[in-house]
Amino acid sequence: MKISSITLNHLRMPLVLPFETSFGVSTHRDCVLVSLHAEGMTGYGECVADYQPGYTYETSGTAWYILKHFIVPLTLGKEIEDPREFQKDLQPIKGHLMAKAGIEMALWDLLGKREGKSLNTLLGGKKKKVEVGVSVGLQESPEALVRRVEDYLKDGYRRIKIKIKPGRDVADTEAVRRAFPEIMLQVDANSAYSPGTCGALKPLDGLNLLLIEQPLAEDDLLDHARMQKKFNTPLCLDESILSARHARYALELKACRIINIKAGRLGGLGEALAVHDVCRSVDMPVWCGGMLETGVGRAANLGLASLPGFTLPGDISASNRYYTRDITHESFNLNPDSTIDVPDRPGLGVNLDEEAVSYFTLEEETFSC
Ligand code: OSB
Ligand code: MG
């Protein structure tokens, strides 16, 4: 497939509800939409970097810069057959995995459209629907959190994740557990603790949680391993895992018992598949994380989560949990059994709502050979 032109759209979309984590509050979300044109077809990809560098150092602004000045010139006019090979072409560019993943996703979409195969088929996923949950931001008080969780349970979500931070951890989690003794419940700290402060989380061990996600710094596998030894609840790594190599380090060090896979954080779906395979070889459960994606990224997450190692519910909620207006004509709905259907049309299986794309675009640029 010869890539003849590339369009980038920097989008900003309002969220249905503000989303608060240990690193800040978001009322809207940015991303860079990548459109690759080849052989009369268009492939779409979503670069998930947000406007602020709270989750990782990348932002929609840095991704735009790296895409425009470094990744687009390496991609334009190239004959690309396999998105996995393309990763090797990008090796001269250090880091900026989310920027790279935006283009890589569009290559999978193109490949699927050309072969007439859906993303899940290309990746080897067999499930027709995947189990999902919802990630609930910090609320004003434990009582407000319980009310918000109740709303999501009424919507049909059977697995709840709550965000925590120092001072808003044990009481919040206990309140939810007390109100809903039976639900699948997990917490996510987004690196807000240190080896000195993570002892405050010890009472969580008595609350029958599925997992505690990323309590410590992203580059600190050693202290995660020390913490895991002291906790019965499985630790799950998100920010720490940037490649299949990191996944191997984490499991050899016993730094976690579960891994959250996000293709954007890993530089693409190819590396996400590699992390899945490493974990599956040692029976370590994985689940699909989310970055508040639009319909484009959500379709990719559903394809990925259809792989057999994804044995825990993913952070892939229905479109209406995030946006009142999305950029795809398709919207993803929650089934009564807390699952979402995996798209089965070629590529990502979604069509862009061009009017919505224009409406949310802050900046657009096209590069041609
Ligand atoms: O840590 O999992 C995270 C959203 C943005 C950045 C980081 C995270 C999240 C979420 C939301 O938890 C998951 C989703 O529903 O997309
Ligand atoms: Mg997380």
Side-chain angles (χ1 to χ4, degrees):
M1 301 178 292
K2 187 172 176 204
I3 310 300
S4 52
S5 76
I6 302 176
T7 302
L8 302 179
N9 287 75
H10 182 175
L11 307 180
R12 173 160 297 173
M13 295 164 59
L15 292 166
V16 166
L17 290 169
F19 187 65
E20 182 169 354
T21 63
S22 62
F23 57 80
V25 177
S26 303
T27 53
H28 60 274
R29 178 199 177 245
D30 283 21
C31 69
V32 179
L33 175 71
V34 177
S35 307
L36 291 186
H37 307 282
E39 299 171 6
M41 298 176 305
T42 307
Y44 302 107
E46 176 170 348
C47 164
V48 296
D50 203 355
Y51 60 94
Q52 55 175 345
Y55 169 79
T56 171
Y57 67 86
E58 285 187 89
T59 65
S60 39
T62 69
W64 182 277
Y65 184 88
I66 295 290
L67 280 160
K68 174 172 172 166
H69 295 287
F70 300 101
I71 304 179
V72 164
L74 276 179
T75 312
L76 211 51
K78 282 265 169 63
E79 277 288 349
I80 302 173
E81 292 309 319
D82 183 348
R84 271 164 286 200
E85 289 301 309
F86 175 70
Q87 283 301 325
K88 295 190 190 125
D89 299 343
L90 294 180
Q91 274 172 3
I93 305 166
K94 298 286 183 236
H96 298 284
L97 296 166
M98 291 181 177
K100 292 171 180 173
I103 295 241
E104 200 245 18
M105 189 192 294
L107 287 170
W108 285 100
D109 191 26
L110 269 182
L111 181 67
K113 283 171 174 161
R114 195 186 62 177
E115 312 264 304
K117 291 183 179 157
S118 60
L119 177 68
N120 72 302
T121 308
L122 292 175
L123 296 175
K126 298 253 184 314
K127 285 181 248 175
K128 299 264 179 278
K129 50 185 195 166
V130 298
E131 273 186 77
V132 303
V134 62
S135 173
V136 187
L138 288 153
Q139 307 291 319
E140 258 170 41
S141 62
E143 297 71 37
L145 175 64
V146 168
R147 283 196 296 274
R148 177 69 62 219
V149 168
E150 186 174 19
D151 287 344
Y152 285 127
L153 292 171
K154 281 189 187 142
D155 288 343
Y157 294 103
R158 290 197 198 147
R159 190 231 64 185
I160 300 290
K161 160 168 137 181
I162 62 171
K163 294 287 188 178
I164 57 168
K165 67 177 183 180
R168 294 298 306 279
D169 39 37
V170 176
D172 284 59
T173 315
E174 276 175 351
V176 175
R177 181 46 96 209
R178 212 174 305 124
F180 311 106
E182 303 294 334
I183 59 167
M184 286 190 271
L185 182 64
Q186 62 194 56
V187 298
D188 186 359
N190 288 109
S191 300
Y193 296 82
S194 68
T197 61
C198 70
L201 298 177
K202 191 61 187 157
L204 297 184
D205 247 353
L207 297 178
N208 187 25
L209 303 182
L210 285 176
L211 56 91
I212 298 171
E213 183 176 345
Q214 196 70 41
L216 306 175
E218 55 278 8
D219 59 357
D220 191 354
L221 289 181
L222 182 66
D223 290 312
H224 276 107
R226 290 189 174 142
M227 182 178 168
Q228 180 66 91
K229 268 201 194 127
K230 297 186 193 134
F231 279 68
N232 297 321
T233 310
L235 297 189
C236 167
L237 291 176
D238 174 353
E239 285 92 325
S240 291
I241 308 298
L242 301 176
S243 66
R245 199 157 44 76
H246 286 92
R248 188 164 54 74
Y249 297 159
L251 55 94
E252 284 190 26
L253 277 167
K254 301 193 192 321
C256 64
R257 293 195 205 128
I258 296 171
I259 287 178
N260 156 336
I261 296 186
K262 290 179 184 170
R265 192 191 69 220
L266 292 158
L269 291 155
E271 194 68 14
L273 192 59
V275 172
H276 165 272
D277 293 349
V278 166
C279 294
R280 195 160 150 77
S281 71
V282 295
D283 282 329
M284 181 182 279
V286 302
W287 54 283
C288 184
M291 293 292 290
L292 311 175
E293 285 86 350
T294 71
V296 173
R298 192 168 327 288
N301 285 344
L302 288 163
L304 180 64
S306 73
L307 288 159
F310 286 80
T311 53
L312 290 167
D315 273 352
I316 316 172
S317 309
S319 309
N320 66 3
R321 174 255 177 273
Y322 305 95
Y323 304 106
T324 41
R325 186 178 184 190
D326 205 338
I327 58 164
T328 53
H329 286 299
E330 297 74 12
S331 58
F332 296 97
N333 303 311
L334 190 69
N335 298 320
D337 59 352
S338 195
T339 63
I340 298 183
D341 296 343
V342 176
D344 59 2
R345 287 196 305 274
L348 295 176
V350 289
N351 291 293
L352 275 205
D353 177 344
E354 303 283 354
E355 267 177 39
V357 171
S358 310
Y359 182 78
F360 293 123
T361 292
L362 298 178
E363 192 176 0
E364 173 173 321
E365 198 165 347
T366 295
F367 308 88
S368 304
C369 303

